[in-house]
Amino acid sequence: MRRGIRAALPALAGAAALTGTLLSTPAEAAGGVVIHRVYFDSPGTDDRSNTSLNAEWVQIKNTSSSAIPLRNWVLKDASNHKYTFPDVKIGAGRTMKVRTGRGSDTAANKYQNRRAYVWNNTSDTATLTKANGTRADSCSWTTRDPSDKYC
Protein backbone atom coordinates (compact mmCIF):
# COMPACT_ATOMS: atom_id res chain seq x y z
CA MET A 1 0.00 0.00 0.00
CA ARG A 2 2.80 2.43 0.85
CA ARG A 3 4.45 1.87 -2.52
CA GLY A 4 1.17 2.81 -4.29
CA ILE A 5 0.92 6.08 -2.34
CA ARG A 6 4.56 6.95 -3.07
CA ALA A 7 4.00 6.23 -6.74
CA ALA A 8 0.96 8.56 -6.80
CA LEU A 9 2.78 11.50 -5.18
CA PRO A 10 4.62 12.65 -8.34
CA ALA A 11 1.31 12.63 -10.25
CA LEU A 12 -0.36 14.71 -7.53
CA ALA A 13 2.54 17.16 -7.50
CA GLY A 14 2.28 17.47 -11.27
CA ALA A 15 -1.46 18.10 -11.09
CA ALA A 16 -0.91 20.78 -8.45
CA ALA A 17 1.74 22.43 -10.61
CA LEU A 18 -0.60 22.46 -13.61
CA THR A 19 -3.51 24.02 -11.72
CA GLY A 20 -1.46 26.22 -9.42
CA THR A 21 -3.27 24.95 -6.32
CA LEU A 22 -4.29 21.77 -4.65
CA LEU A 23 -7.83 22.07 -3.27
CA SER A 24 -8.09 20.84 0.27
CA THR A 25 -11.67 19.55 0.25
CA PRO A 26 -14.28 18.43 -2.28
CA ALA A 27 -16.52 21.29 -1.10
CA GLU A 28 -13.88 23.80 -2.15
CA ALA A 29 -13.56 22.11 -5.53
CA ALA A 30 -17.30 22.09 -6.21
CA GLY A 31 -18.28 25.25 -4.33
CA GLY A 32 -21.25 25.48 -2.05
CA VAL A 33 -22.65 27.26 0.97
CA VAL A 34 -20.31 27.64 3.94
CA ILE A 35 -20.33 29.43 7.27
CA HIS A 36 -18.10 32.43 6.63
CA ARG A 37 -18.20 34.36 9.93
CA VAL A 38 -19.96 34.25 13.29
CA TYR A 39 -20.46 37.31 15.51
CA PHE A 40 -21.39 35.52 18.73
CA ASP A 41 -20.82 38.29 21.33
CA SER A 42 -22.85 41.37 20.46
CA PRO A 43 -21.15 44.60 21.57
CA GLY A 44 -22.24 46.36 24.74
CA THR A 45 -24.47 45.09 27.51
CA ASP A 46 -26.42 41.90 26.89
CA ASP A 47 -29.78 43.52 27.62
CA ARG A 48 -31.85 41.38 25.22
CA SER A 49 -32.90 44.46 23.28
CA ASN A 50 -33.69 43.76 19.64
CA THR A 51 -30.66 45.87 18.64
CA SER A 52 -28.38 43.74 20.83
CA LEU A 53 -29.94 40.48 19.63
CA ASN A 54 -29.48 41.47 15.98
CA ALA A 55 -25.81 42.28 16.60
CA GLU A 56 -25.40 38.51 17.08
CA TRP A 57 -25.34 36.77 13.70
CA VAL A 58 -23.98 34.03 11.47
CA GLN A 59 -22.87 34.93 7.96
CA ILE A 60 -23.05 32.26 5.29
CA LYS A 61 -21.43 32.49 1.87
CA ASN A 62 -22.14 30.86 -1.46
CA THR A 63 -18.73 29.94 -2.90
CA SER A 64 -20.17 28.50 -6.11
CA SER A 65 -20.79 30.16 -9.46
CA SER A 66 -24.58 29.74 -9.34
CA ALA A 67 -27.44 30.51 -6.96
CA ILE A 68 -28.27 27.82 -4.39
CA PRO A 69 -31.77 27.32 -2.95
CA LEU A 70 -31.80 27.19 0.87
CA ARG A 71 -35.39 26.08 1.48
CA ASN A 72 -35.50 23.87 4.61
CA TRP A 73 -31.75 24.15 5.28
CA VAL A 74 -31.10 24.44 9.03
CA LEU A 75 -28.66 26.55 11.04
CA LYS A 76 -28.30 25.39 14.65
CA ASP A 77 -26.13 25.76 17.72
CA ALA A 78 -24.74 23.05 20.02
CA SER A 79 -27.90 23.29 22.19
CA ASN A 80 -30.05 22.57 19.12
CA HIS A 81 -31.62 26.03 18.75
CA LYS A 82 -32.68 25.80 15.09
CA TYR A 83 -33.36 28.32 12.35
CA THR A 84 -34.95 26.81 9.24
CA PHE A 85 -34.47 28.80 6.06
CA PRO A 86 -37.59 29.84 4.16
CA ASP A 87 -37.96 29.44 0.40
CA VAL A 88 -34.95 31.63 -0.51
CA LYS A 89 -31.83 31.41 -2.66
CA ILE A 90 -28.35 32.73 -2.01
CA GLY A 91 -26.77 34.17 -5.14
CA ALA A 92 -23.43 33.08 -6.57
CA GLY A 93 -20.57 34.56 -4.54
CA ARG A 94 -23.03 36.32 -2.20
CA THR A 95 -23.26 36.39 1.60
CA MET A 96 -26.27 36.34 3.90
CA LYS A 97 -26.50 37.06 7.64
CA VAL A 98 -28.86 35.16 9.92
CA ARG A 99 -29.55 37.52 12.82
CA THR A 100 -30.91 36.39 16.17
CA GLY A 101 -33.54 39.09 16.82
CA ARG A 102 -36.62 40.33 15.01
CA GLY A 103 -36.76 42.11 11.66
CA SER A 104 -37.96 41.99 8.07
CA ASP A 105 -36.11 39.51 5.90
CA THR A 106 -34.11 40.81 2.94
CA ALA A 107 -31.78 39.10 0.49
CA ALA A 108 -28.81 39.98 2.74
CA ASN A 109 -30.42 39.48 6.19
CA LYS A 110 -32.67 36.81 7.64
CA TYR A 111 -34.10 37.04 11.16
CA GLN A 112 -34.70 34.23 13.66
CA ASN A 113 -37.26 36.39 15.52
CA ARG A 114 -35.98 35.31 18.93
CA ARG A 115 -36.11 37.24 22.18
CA ALA A 116 -33.02 35.57 23.70
CA TYR A 117 -29.43 35.01 22.57
CA VAL A 118 -28.53 31.82 20.72
CA TRP A 119 -24.75 31.78 20.35
CA ASN A 120 -22.74 31.22 23.54
CA ASN A 121 -19.85 33.60 24.15
CA THR A 122 -17.72 31.00 25.93
CA SER A 123 -17.84 28.27 23.30
CA ASP A 124 -20.31 26.97 20.76
CA THR A 125 -20.63 25.43 17.32
CA ALA A 126 -22.72 26.72 14.43
CA THR A 127 -23.79 23.90 12.10
CA LEU A 128 -25.41 24.33 8.71
CA THR A 129 -27.28 21.34 7.30
CA LYS A 130 -28.93 20.87 3.94
CA ALA A 131 -32.63 20.08 3.59
CA ASN A 132 -31.79 16.36 3.25
CA GLY A 133 -30.00 16.45 6.64
CA THR A 134 -26.40 16.25 5.40
CA ARG A 135 -23.96 18.67 7.01
CA ALA A 136 -22.89 21.49 4.71
CA ASP A 137 -20.48 23.17 7.16
CA SER A 138 -19.78 23.97 10.80
CA CYS A 139 -17.75 26.49 12.78
CA SER A 140 -16.67 26.30 16.43
CA TRP A 141 -15.15 28.82 18.84
CA THR A 142 -13.95 29.06 22.43
CA THR A 143 -13.23 31.80 24.96
CA ARG A 144 -9.81 32.22 23.31
CA ASP A 145 -11.56 33.81 20.33
CA PRO A 146 -12.57 37.49 20.27
CA SER A 147 -16.25 38.43 19.87
CA ASP A 148 -16.36 37.05 16.35
CA LYS A 149 -14.83 34.22 14.35
CA TYR A 150 -13.98 33.86 10.68
CA CYS A 151 -14.52 30.24 9.76
Side-chain angles (χ1 to χ4, degrees), residues 12-102:
L12 287 173
L18 286 174
T19 63
T21 63
L22 188 60
L23 296 173
S24 61
T25 66
E28 289 176 34
V33 181
V34 297
I35 298 172
H36 180 66
R37 185 177 179 192
V38 180
Y39 208 103
F40 53 86
D41 186 7
S42 60
T45 305
D46 287 347
D47 58 7
R48 287 192 179 189
S49 69
N50 197 50
T51 300
S52 180
L53 290 167
N54 281 331
E56 178 183 83
W57 44 261
V58 174
Q59 184 180 51
I60 61 172
K61 183 174 185 176
N62 180 352
T63 62
S64 77
S65 58
S66 37
I68 295 178
L70 297 176
R71 182 179 186 182
N72 292 326
W73 284 44
V74 174
L75 177 66
K76 68 178 184 173
D77 71 343
S79 297
N80 212 29
H81 296 100
K82 294 180 181 179
Y83 170 77
T84 303
F85 285 85
D87 191 9
V88 297
K89 289 183 181 181
I90 184 169
R94 305 293 295 193
T95 61
M96 177 186 296
K97 288 181 182 174
V98 179
R99 297 181 182 273
T100 299
R102 297 174 311 280

